[in-house]
Short mmCIF file of all heavy atoms in Angstrom, two decimals:
data_model
loop_
_atom_site.label_atom_id
_atom_site.label_comp_id
_atom_site.label_asym_id
_atom_site.label_seq_id
_atom_site.Cartn_x
_atom_site.Cartn_y
_atom_site.Cartn_z
N ALA A 339 11.36 6.07 11.63
CA ALA A 339 12.49 5.23 12.06
C ALA A 339 13.66 6.09 12.44
O ALA A 339 14.29 5.90 13.52
CB ALA A 339 12.85 4.24 10.99
N LEU A 340 14.02 7.10 11.63
CA LEU A 340 15.17 7.93 11.91
C LEU A 340 14.94 8.79 13.17
O LEU A 340 15.86 8.94 14.00
CB LEU A 340 15.47 8.84 10.71
CG LEU A 340 16.06 8.14 9.50
CD1 LEU A 340 16.12 9.11 8.30
CD2 LEU A 340 17.44 7.59 9.79
N ILE A 341 13.75 9.31 13.31
CA ILE A 341 13.42 10.13 14.48
C ILE A 341 13.56 9.32 15.75
O ILE A 341 14.18 9.73 16.72
CB ILE A 341 12.01 10.71 14.37
CG1 ILE A 341 11.96 11.81 13.29
CG2 ILE A 341 11.54 11.31 15.73
CD1 ILE A 341 10.59 12.22 12.89
N ARG A 342 12.96 8.12 15.76
CA ARG A 342 13.02 7.26 16.94
C ARG A 342 14.48 6.87 17.30
O ARG A 342 14.85 6.87 18.49
CB ARG A 342 12.16 6.02 16.77
CG ARG A 342 10.66 6.28 16.71
CD ARG A 342 10.17 7.01 17.99
NE ARG A 342 10.60 6.36 19.19
CZ ARG A 342 10.03 5.28 19.72
NH1 ARG A 342 8.95 4.74 19.15
NH2 ARG A 342 10.48 4.76 20.82
N ILE A 343 15.27 6.57 16.30
CA ILE A 343 16.67 6.22 16.56
C ILE A 343 17.40 7.43 17.16
O ILE A 343 18.12 7.33 18.15
CB ILE A 343 17.37 5.73 15.28
CG1 ILE A 343 16.77 4.37 14.85
CG2 ILE A 343 18.88 5.60 15.48
CD1 ILE A 343 17.23 3.93 13.45
N ALA A 344 17.19 8.61 16.54
CA ALA A 344 17.90 9.80 17.00
C ALA A 344 17.46 10.24 18.37
O ALA A 344 18.28 10.78 19.14
CB ALA A 344 17.65 10.95 16.01
N GLN A 345 16.21 10.00 18.73
CA GLN A 345 15.73 10.36 20.07
C GLN A 345 16.36 9.48 21.16
O GLN A 345 16.45 9.88 22.32
CB GLN A 345 14.20 10.21 20.15
CG GLN A 345 13.43 11.30 19.42
CD GLN A 345 11.93 11.02 19.49
OE1 GLN A 345 11.49 9.89 19.33
NE2 GLN A 345 11.17 12.08 19.72
N THR A 346 16.80 8.31 20.78
CA THR A 346 17.21 7.30 21.74
C THR A 346 18.71 7.06 21.80
O THR A 346 19.28 6.82 22.85
CB THR A 346 16.51 5.96 21.47
OG1 THR A 346 15.11 6.21 21.21
CG2 THR A 346 16.60 5.02 22.64
N TYR A 347 19.38 7.17 20.62
CA TYR A 347 20.81 6.78 20.54
C TYR A 347 21.61 7.78 19.69
O TYR A 347 21.06 8.51 18.85
CB TYR A 347 20.93 5.41 19.86
CG TYR A 347 20.14 4.31 20.47
CD1 TYR A 347 18.96 3.87 19.88
CD2 TYR A 347 20.57 3.68 21.64
CE1 TYR A 347 18.22 2.85 20.42
CE2 TYR A 347 19.84 2.65 22.19
CZ TYR A 347 18.65 2.22 21.60
OH TYR A 347 17.91 1.23 22.15
N ALA A 348 22.88 7.74 19.93
CA ALA A 348 23.88 8.24 18.96
C ALA A 348 24.48 7.01 18.31
O ALA A 348 24.86 6.05 19.01
CB ALA A 348 24.93 9.09 19.64
N VAL A 349 24.54 7.03 16.96
CA VAL A 349 25.10 5.90 16.22
C VAL A 349 26.54 6.20 15.93
O VAL A 349 26.89 7.16 15.26
CB VAL A 349 24.31 5.68 14.92
CG1 VAL A 349 25.00 4.60 14.07
CG2 VAL A 349 22.87 5.27 15.23
N GLU A 350 27.45 5.38 16.45
CA GLU A 350 28.89 5.54 16.27
C GLU A 350 29.43 4.51 15.28
O GLU A 350 29.49 3.31 15.59
CB GLU A 350 29.61 5.41 17.62
CG GLU A 350 31.11 5.54 17.54
CD GLU A 350 31.82 5.18 18.84
OE1 GLU A 350 31.13 5.03 19.87
OE2 GLU A 350 33.07 5.04 18.80
N LEU A 351 29.79 4.99 14.07
CA LEU A 351 30.37 4.08 13.11
C LEU A 351 31.80 3.70 13.51
O LEU A 351 32.59 4.57 13.86
CB LEU A 351 30.38 4.72 11.72
CG LEU A 351 29.01 5.00 11.04
CD1 LEU A 351 29.21 5.62 9.67
CD2 LEU A 351 28.21 3.72 10.92
N LEU A 352 32.11 2.43 13.46
CA LEU A 352 33.43 1.98 13.87
C LEU A 352 34.45 2.06 12.72
O LEU A 352 35.64 2.07 12.97
CB LEU A 352 33.34 0.52 14.37
CG LEU A 352 32.40 0.33 15.57
CD1 LEU A 352 32.40 -1.12 16.02
CD2 LEU A 352 32.77 1.26 16.72
N ASP A 353 33.95 2.15 11.50
CA ASP A 353 34.83 2.33 10.34
C ASP A 353 34.66 3.77 9.87
O ASP A 353 33.63 4.13 9.33
CB ASP A 353 34.45 1.37 9.23
CG ASP A 353 35.33 1.46 7.99
OD1 ASP A 353 36.10 2.42 7.92
OD2 ASP A 353 35.24 0.59 7.13
N LYS A 354 35.66 4.61 10.13
CA LYS A 354 35.55 6.04 9.84
C LYS A 354 35.84 6.38 8.38
O LYS A 354 35.66 7.51 7.96
CB LYS A 354 36.52 6.84 10.75
CG LYS A 354 36.36 6.56 12.23
CD LYS A 354 35.01 7.00 12.75
CE LYS A 354 34.93 6.82 14.26
NZ LYS A 354 33.60 7.20 14.80
N ASN A 355 36.31 5.41 7.61
CA ASN A 355 36.73 5.71 6.23
C ASN A 355 35.49 5.88 5.32
O ASN A 355 34.44 5.29 5.59
CB ASN A 355 37.60 4.56 5.69
CG ASN A 355 38.89 4.44 6.44
OD1 ASN A 355 39.56 5.43 6.71
ND2 ASN A 355 39.21 3.20 6.86
N PRO A 356 35.64 6.68 4.26
CA PRO A 356 34.52 6.83 3.33
C PRO A 356 34.11 5.45 2.73
O PRO A 356 34.98 4.60 2.54
CB PRO A 356 35.09 7.77 2.24
CG PRO A 356 36.22 8.49 2.90
CD PRO A 356 36.79 7.50 3.90
N VAL A 357 32.86 5.33 2.45
CA VAL A 357 32.34 4.10 1.89
C VAL A 357 31.82 4.35 0.49
O VAL A 357 31.17 5.37 0.24
CB VAL A 357 31.16 3.57 2.78
CG1 VAL A 357 30.50 2.39 2.13
CG2 VAL A 357 31.72 3.17 4.16
N ALA A 358 32.14 3.47 -0.45
CA ALA A 358 31.67 3.59 -1.81
C ALA A 358 30.31 2.92 -1.94
O ALA A 358 29.92 2.09 -1.12
CB ALA A 358 32.67 2.98 -2.78
N ALA A 359 29.57 3.30 -3.00
CA ALA A 359 28.28 2.68 -3.29
C ALA A 359 28.48 1.56 -4.30
O ALA A 359 29.23 1.70 -5.27
CB ALA A 359 27.32 3.73 -3.85
N ALA A 360 27.80 0.45 -4.06
CA ALA A 360 27.85 -0.68 -4.98
C ALA A 360 26.48 -0.88 -5.60
O ALA A 360 25.47 -0.92 -4.93
CB ALA A 360 28.26 -1.97 -4.22
N ALA A 361 26.45 -1.00 -6.94
CA ALA A 361 25.19 -1.14 -7.65
C ALA A 361 24.80 -2.61 -7.66
O ALA A 361 25.19 -3.37 -8.56
CB ALA A 361 25.34 -0.61 -9.09
N GLN A 362 24.06 -3.03 -6.66
CA GLN A 362 23.53 -4.37 -6.62
C GLN A 362 22.03 -4.34 -6.87
O GLN A 362 21.60 -3.68 -7.84
CB GLN A 362 23.86 -4.99 -5.25
CG GLN A 362 25.36 -5.16 -5.02
CD GLN A 362 25.71 -5.81 -3.70
OE1 GLN A 362 24.85 -6.24 -2.96
NE2 GLN A 362 27.01 -5.88 -3.39
N ILE A 363 21.22 -5.01 -6.07
CA ILE A 363 19.77 -4.92 -6.26
C ILE A 363 19.36 -3.49 -6.06
O ILE A 363 18.59 -2.91 -6.80
CB ILE A 363 19.02 -5.82 -5.27
CG1 ILE A 363 19.66 -7.19 -5.22
CG2 ILE A 363 17.56 -5.88 -5.57
CD1 ILE A 363 19.61 -7.82 -3.86
N THR A 364 19.87 -2.91 -4.99
CA THR A 364 19.73 -1.50 -4.70
C THR A 364 21.15 -0.92 -4.59
O THR A 364 22.13 -1.65 -4.66
CB THR A 364 18.94 -1.23 -3.42
OG1 THR A 364 19.55 -1.98 -2.36
CG2 THR A 364 17.48 -1.65 -3.58
#
Side-chain angles (χ1 to χ4, degrees):
L340 289 172
I341 289 167
R342 291 303 310 280
I343 292 170
Q345 287 177 318
T346 315
Y347 306 102
V349 174
E350 179 188 348
L351 293 181
L352 301 181
D353 183 348
K354 306 295 184 182
N355 297 313
V357 173
Q362 296 182 5
I363 313 147
T364 54

